Amino acid sequence: MDCTAACPNAISPNAIRPDAATGGPDDAARTADPCGHARSVSGMFGRIADWYDLLNRVLSGGLDRYWRYRLVRHVAPGPTGRVLDLAAGTLDVSLEIVRQHPGARVPALDFCRPMLQRGRGKLSGETARAIWPATADGRRLPLADASVDCVTIAFGIRNILPRSEAFAEILRVLVPGGRLCVLEFGTGKTPVWRGLYNFYLNRVLPMVGRAVSGDSGAYRYLADTIMAFPTADELAGEMAEAGFGRVFHLPLTSGIVRLHVAEKPRAAETAPAVAAPTGDEPAPAGATRNKTTAKGGAASAALGTEQGAAQGTLPGAATRETPKKKRASGGAKAGKKTR
């Protein structure tokens, strides 16, 4: 099967619309040729698309369902009624979003068309009306500014390089106060279960992947990118540097998987420093936050003519708000003079 892998933009002719029914290199090496990397990854996932769901169940021992459930538990619906599922693959996260949030509309974008085609077979009735699959590049999203309430990405941020461009686009399409929820494997730099996790990544995972799908390269790539991936704190730092506020992460299954949550600051807020997790579930999106010195915001990528047409099909898409200056606080009143 062929993948749509044009770079930097890959958008299906059937653009998003509300009535759609239907031993590896490190990050630095891959970022040096992001277009070549994207085409390679897209082709690789296209080759294993038919086996992808089965391998997820087998290699995770069925825990992948629980991880997706926890990811979507952190989705915070908002004014647009839309949740973007980025790197949507075979649409399992998209389906979980609709299950937990009936009435939500889910643009489901992925760079690899065969993965989306595989997922389309799971859609029927309400899910076919609620989920809008389309081929697109995570660095150039065919969506209007401030057009979605939340963005989810499960086991896909490793495959988008440079990550800074993806974070900039996600910030652009989120409404102020909107959330980014990222599910990703923990880095192999931190041994889990006394190194048993690393042994599994390097030996067991490629062997099982080859036995089931006949493609050892895809799961060798998976193991290598997990081993080279930033630590949870380093990834949180990247998000904060990109302009996100209230960034935190939670370990799942002893840290084999990490759930990262970040929020786009509201117009009257500045991006706070990375927050330490205070419990299993985050505070509501509208909770009071500390305000600190503003960090540089992410620049918006220019949208082409074809993308503009796709944007026009999203009803009620908001335009970016112009931040208003905060009213200066009055100084404290002086104490009474001693007579």
Side-chain angles (χ1 to χ4, degrees), residues 244-246 268-274 289-295 326:
F244 286 97
R246 193 170 177 263
E269 295 174 344
T270 56
V274 177
R289 305 178 184 90
N290 293 330
K291 299 173 179 61
T292 61
T293 304
K295 299 191 178 191
K326 291 200 307 181

Side-chain angles (χ1 to χ4, degrees), residues 126-152:
E126 177 56 30
T127 59
R129 291 186 289 271
I131 297 172
W132 313 331
T135 312
D137 187 338
R139 300 166 300 164
R140 301 291 187 273
L141 298 175
L143 298 169
D145 294 0
S147 60
V148 299
D149 302 322
C150 191
V151 177
T152 62

Side-chain angles (χ1 to χ4, degrees), residues 39-61:
R39 285 191 292 269
S40 175
V41 171
S42 178
M44 178 185 65
F45 278 102
R47 293 194 303 271
I48 64 170
D50 289 341
W51 300 98
Y52 184 77
D53 289 337
L54 173 62
L55 282 165
N56 275 351
R57 308 295 181 270
V58 171
L59 293 171
S60 70

Side-chain angles (χ1 to χ4, degrees), residues 102-124:
R105 291 297 179 258
V106 184
L109 307 184
D110 197 285
F111 201 54
C112 183
R113 183 177 293 164
M115 294 284 281
L116 292 176
Q117 289 174 334
R118 183 76 177 177
R120 280 180 184 270
K122 303 174 183 179
L123 305 183
S124 63

